[in-house]
Each structure stands twice: as structure tokens, then as C-alpha cells.
Amino acid sequence: MLLSSRNRITCYRASHTRFYSSRPKCDPSKLRNLALVAHIDSGKTTLTESILLKSAYLSVAGSVDTGSTITDFLPAERERGITIQSASIPVHWKDWTFNLIDTPGHADFGMEVESASRVVDGAVVLMDSVEGVESQTKAVWRQLDRYGVSSRIIFLNKLDRPGASFHTCFKSILAHQLHRHPVALTLPISSFNPAHYTQAEPGLRGLVDLVKWNIWKWTGEIWTCHPLPHDPCALGQQDYIPKHHPILSHLFSARSQLLENLAMFSDDLLELLLNQASECTARLDVPHSIIMSSLRKATLNMDIVPVVCGSAINHIGTELLLDYVGELLASPIDIPHDPQGRNPPVSMLAWKVTWDSNRGWMTFVRIYSGALTRHSTVLNTNRNQREKVSKILMLYASHPVEVDELPFGSVGVILGLKFTRTGDTLVSLGGSSGDRSTMRDITPPPAVISTSVIPHSRSDLEPVQEALNALIRTDPSVRSEVQEGQQLIHGLGALHLEIVENRLREEWKVHFEFGKRRVSYREGLGPNTITEYLEHWQTDVGGKRITVTMRFDVSALEDNEQGDPRWDGNIVLNSIGLPLRSPDSISAAPESYIARGIASALSNSPHTSLAMTRIRIKLRGYTLPQSVPLPVLSSGAAVILRNLIRSAGSGPILEPYILLKITVNEDSLGKVMKDITEHGGEVQDLAVGVSVQSGVVDSSNGFAEQQVYIPPQWLSPSSITHVQAQSAPKLKRSIHALAPLSRFLHYSARLRALSGGHGTFEMFNAGFRTVSDSRRLEILKEIGRA
């Protein structure tokens, strides 16, 4: 009988509680704030369960299939078998404490990955060893880049599956330009029976740790660790591995190549290797301390990315991964931080806000300076509001434990905050003005789909609006606006809006209906010359006529320019050319009011009512009569900028595109490809079965394979026949295509009809693209503007 998640939690959770509540100071050098990130279905939640089992937090690991995992505790997560929201859980492993954040892999919940990436110091990037680098793998890697996550480890998961390939995953990392120098720390042993390597049997029964020079062997649920001898002749005399096993002849060269690749980034290791004898076995005499210090330094500097492997569902490789996470990933003191003297001021970032019907508003924070104690009063520098901390919790997924304080570098939950939103900075009162600066924002991904919200009756109007405001506080990737008297909400995808609808009904108990879903198009700047006389605006304030002057430089972005995601793909600069803060950052500064006015003008085009994008706006200056309240600047900026955009004329229209990965039987291939092209899509690649080259990248543009150790193909024997089995009567084919989202909103039913019910697909956001003139006319007719 399956045990519930609560019953599976052992008394070890109590020891965790004592660890946090009784220790006056937690050594920050032993703390690791890390996120598990990956493409959907790569095994993040399964790996989390394996970690909790190996760390003795659980007595029995749960399963995604049965809905019994600790971190997927929402009913919608257990029903669908996917992660919808990130979940935090502290894990104690040996001398380290890991604040582990399990994140969603679905692109519709990318905001959860954004917020987690902002506060972690390291990450474990999972890859399905059958699929290799996929679209969302690259997306989460870019998110880690954007927030400067300084250290990462790649975990090649599911090596026990047919078709898994350690070799091709390495080539995929280079081809998709994830990193120039992936370094294998472990090698897989598919079987301890040499005959299985010639029969292409799938499996994973052991691992070789090239750094610590030992072999891990799994027999059922029992594992043993055996040190490897330094003498090549002695390798064939061990009782734990047959003497004719193919991996034995490869071990010394693999170890040698590991050290030689690492020596490119370590002068100490390079000098040691140069002074050694040339024999391959001499590399085994390198002190372990030098290897680990070189590995850690190169990992923290992003010179290399360590790669380990295993099978999370079988708990193979979990202990090795945990060891390397503790030894190699960054601690809070490894990243730039304020000196932590005696009683330093508190500084923290709110990286997530949730609502709980029993506890109220729960604010997840990361402590960047000082130590937070309960019943403290802090200042929200974004909103210039004082907040009272009533309780401090360590959250074990959905299970809270109250603690007395959160020390420097830790992650926890605060109860009692009334005004704080995701991305806000909280500091202690009484500090200097320099201590009150706001930290870097957390940027929501751009919305690509919208729908109208229709209350059932007039009495439901206010509760629905209040529920929407509360939901947006918990999920900043949801955007709400009133357009032509209609309440619209914008989200990251159809599944995202479906979850939003369920949350409004189940969490806030409001009565409404969703209208027809439609794509969120964008409009660019028109081609006409902008007239400067529009830079003045007159209005009445207190019965007196006043004039506000606002001078803007407005132009379209060049094709190679990247827009600011905080401004929905636009670039907004102040008078000295620095980016203007996001309009969500509330303060009493004049530029904050101007930013809100700019955001209002950009949210609704005067020509099409679409949101504006790909525009560069520079504020050159403004004048406001004395004694006139600053909020007038918001209205002035909105009206003046809107008039400037109107004078430029109607601009190009952009629509969101998606990457499609479709898997169908060979006999349905032609019909599916024809349907894609008929609906405006472009087929980019075809592959046999499941492919480690998914995501469609031209490998000729990838990183060079020279000076990189790429494990041989035979290490994963089943991958060879899996790729070559092209004579199968029901051969699966994978289609990779680029297509407009608007034509594939209801693709599930269409694909089911085309493939006889045997087709599956995944879709991922691919940004916005300018449409043709004929398509522009279709869109204008669709939105009632033509």
C-alpha cells in the first residue's frame, strides 16, 4: 500500500528543525542555495524525491505517477503529473545544508524559474539522456545566465532508458552552445555483464567516479563502493567487475583526459602534470585536494561545467551528485556580498509571494545581509512601506516549521507582510540611505495569450477584481487590464491560463467565466516622422491651468538590438542613458511616476489597442510647475508619449511563435507535415524516434569539440541500435517546426485526427516575429481594427 507524503516523512524532519532553530549561527560556507532546473519531464521532481530519500528525510520515495511526491503537493500538480510552482525544501547532507528549490519545467510556468534563479547561488541542470539538450533546457540556461548564477552542474538523468546516450548528450551540449568545456566527472556502467555491450541491452548498474577513482555498483536496492587500483594489471583481478569488461581499458585514459582538460584552468595542476612522468597511470598520483580545489575554482568561474550521470528513479548517482553539489557549487560567501561584521543591517529579497487560506500571505525571502528575527519591523524600499514580521518559517514543501531567525545566506518564509510583492527589497530600519537601495528586479516572461474574464453577475464584479489582484501578487507573469470596458488577463500559455482559472475558482471562490482565448499580439513603432510640438500637455489642477512638458527621443529598435524584458521588449532610458526602473517599483521619485506613465502608454497602442514593443524611448527632460503634485507626471508622460506614438503612424504587427516538437508514426508523417505548412508553420528538422538533437540547432554553429573529452558511444550500448532501428514497422518520427501560436492554440484535437490518436507534441515559446502584410490584415480583422 502506498504511504501518504506526510506518513513517509521520518523523524529526520525534527532534526532539521533543531538544526535551524537551535543553532545560533549557521556556517554560510556550508550552505548551498540551489535550484533544480530542466526541460519538462527530465526528472527534477523524481530527483528531489531521491535526494530526500538519500538524505534520510523520507523513509520511502514518492512517485510522480502516483501523485505522492513531497514537492508536487498541489492537487493540480498531482492530477497532471507536472510541477506548476517551485517548492523549497532544506536538505541536510553530511556537513552541508542545501536549500533545494524544485522548479517547473513547463514554459507556461517560467516565472517560477525566473524567481528561483534570482536567489540561488548554484543550479543542477537536468537532461534526459535520451533527448539531450531541449528547448526549455536552453531557456533555463539563459535564465541562469541572466541572473548571474555562478556555478552549475549538469546531471544526465534516465541513463537506464533504451536509447539513452552519454556520448551524444555531450555532443548536444556543445552543439547547442550550453558550454564550451563540459567535463565528465563520472562514467556510466550499463551492465557488469560484458555480453550486454554487444547485445545493446539498456540499463545502468554502476558508475565510475573519475575524480575519487572508485566504482559504485548497484545490485537491486543495495549499492557498494569499491576503490579502483592504480595498477592497470590489477584492474582485471577485481571480484566486483569481470576482467574482460570493456570499460576497464578506457578508465586510465578517461582519468588522464579529465585532468588535462582541467589543467587548462589551473596553474597548480598544470605545473604538477608537467613535472610528472608521461605514463597514463602517473595521473593517479595527483593529490585529491589539488583536483578538488582546481575543480571548485573552475566551476565557480564558469570555466567548466561538471557533468555527472545517473538514474533518479532508481536512485543511482544521487549520492555522488550530492557530494559534488556540496564540494563544487557556490556558497553565499562565494558570491559578492556586503561584509558581515557584528550585527550587520538586514537586507533581503522577496522572491516569491503565495496565499494560504490558513496562514495568509506567505513571503519567500533570501537573506543577503544580517540575520532576520521574528517580530522585526523592516522597510520595503520598492514601495516605501514598513512591514511587520510576525513569524518566520522554514518550509519543507507544504510542511512549515517555525524558527527564531533566518541567518545570512538562508532562504525562508515570512508571515505578516501586507504590501510586499515578488522582487521587492526589504531592509532593516534605521540604516543609512545606502543600505536602502533596491536590489535587481525579477523579470516576468512576456505574455503571449489572453482571455476575457466575465463575472456571473454585477455582485461578482468586485470579488473577481479583488481575486485577480491577489492572484497577480502571487504570480507576476499574469497581467490584467481593462480594454474597451472588458477585463482581460494575459498569461504565458493555454495551460497557464487554465491553472489561473482553476486557482480563481478554488482558492478565491469567485464566480466568473473565461471568454475565448486569443493570442497577445504586439505593435511596433510606425514609419512617420515624430513631431516635437506634441511634447506639451495642459490640464487643470485645483482649478488652475498648468502645462507639463516632457521631452522624449522615440525610435524603433534595430533588428540586432535586444529589448528589455522588464519593459516588454522595449528599451526605456533616463536622461543620462541608464535604464529606467520597472514601473512596478514604487517610490516617491519623479522618474518613478514618469515610468508609470510610460508603461501606461506602451500597454495600449492608439492605433490597434495592442501592447507596444521594439521601441527605444529616452527621457531627455521634463518641467513641472512648483506645488503641482508629482502624480501629474504619470498622466503627462502617458498622454505625451501616446501622442508621439500616434504621430508615428500605425506600425508593424508582431505575433508570438512557438517551437513544436511532434512525435508521430511513420505513416502519419506526411499528413502532419502538410498540416504544419498549411497553418503557417515551417518544418526545421526530422529525426528518427526520440532524438538528442531536439531543439533544432545547426551543430556546425556549436562549440568546437577539440580539447573536450567526449565519452565514447559504446558506453551506452542501447543507443546504437535505437538510432539504427529504422526498419521497425511502427517507426516513430520526430518533427521540429517553428509556427505561429495563433494557428496551434487547439492543436491537440487536430493532431489526434491526423495521427489516428498516436501523435504527441510539445510546444515552447520562441519569441515574437513581424508578420507579413496579408497576415497583418487578418490580425486587424480578428481584433476588429480593419
Side-chain angles (χ1 to χ4, degrees), residues 31-109:
L31 187 60
R32 303 289 183 269
N33 296 311
L34 71 143
L36 301 183
V37 298
H39 185 88
I40 190 171
D41 287 336
S42 294
K44 297 178 300 300
T45 302
T46 302
L47 178 60
T48 302
E49 288 289 309
S50 182
I51 288 173
L52 296 178
L53 177 68
K54 294 299 182 180
S55 64
Y57 181 80
L58 296 179
S59 58
V60 178
S63 168
V64 173
D65 295 334
T66 60
S68 57
T69 61
I70 293 294
T71 51
D72 283 355
F73 54 84
L74 295 179
E77 291 178 314
R78 293 186 167 177
E79 177 185 342
R80 299 169 186 272
I82 63 172
T83 302
I84 292 173
Q85 66 173 16
S86 56
S88 168
I89 189 163
V91 176
H92 192 47
W93 176 256
K94 296 184 178 178
D95 292 333
W96 299 292
T97 299
F98 304 146
N99 286 322
L100 184 67
I101 302 176
D102 178 22
T103 66
H106 202 290
D108 281 20
F109 310 107

Side-chain angles (χ1 to χ4, degrees), residues 763-782:
M763 64 173 61
F764 313 95
N765 295 336
F768 286 81
R769 293 194 170 202
T770 304
V771 303
S772 63
D773 291 340
S774 59
R775 177 64 182 143
R776 169 189 167 85
L777 184 59
E778 291 177 5
I779 292 173
L780 290 177
K781 289 179 179 179
E782 179 185 333

Side-chain angles (χ1 to χ4, degrees), residues 163-234:
S165 175
F166 196 56
H167 164 86
T168 319
C169 282
F170 259 77
K171 295 177 74 82
S172 179
I173 293 170
L174 296 171
H176 291 267
Q177 300 183 344
L178 254 61
H179 202 284
R180 292 183 182 276
H181 297 286
V183 175
L185 305 186
T186 63
L187 297 180
I189 300 177
S190 295
S191 173
F192 283 88
N193 184 349
H196 289 167
Y197 282 80
T198 60
Q199 298 167 1
E201 290 285 340
L204 181 65
R205 305 312 309 162
L207 295 174
V208 178
D209 187 341
L210 294 175
V211 177
K212 300 171 184 176
W213 200 237
N214 53 39
I215 282 183
W216 292 63
K217 184 175 182 178
W218 275 263
T219 306
E221 297 183 358
I222 301 173
W223 60 267
T224 53
C225 183
H226 308 275
L228 285 166
H230 286 216
D231 182 5
C233 297

Side-chain angles (χ1 to χ4, degrees), residues 301-321:
N301 292 336
M302 286 289 290
D303 293 327
I304 67 167
V305 57
V307 180
V308 296
C309 59
S311 170
I313 197 168
N314 294 315
H315 314 297
I316 298 177
T318 306
E319 295 96 332
L320 281 172
L321 175 64

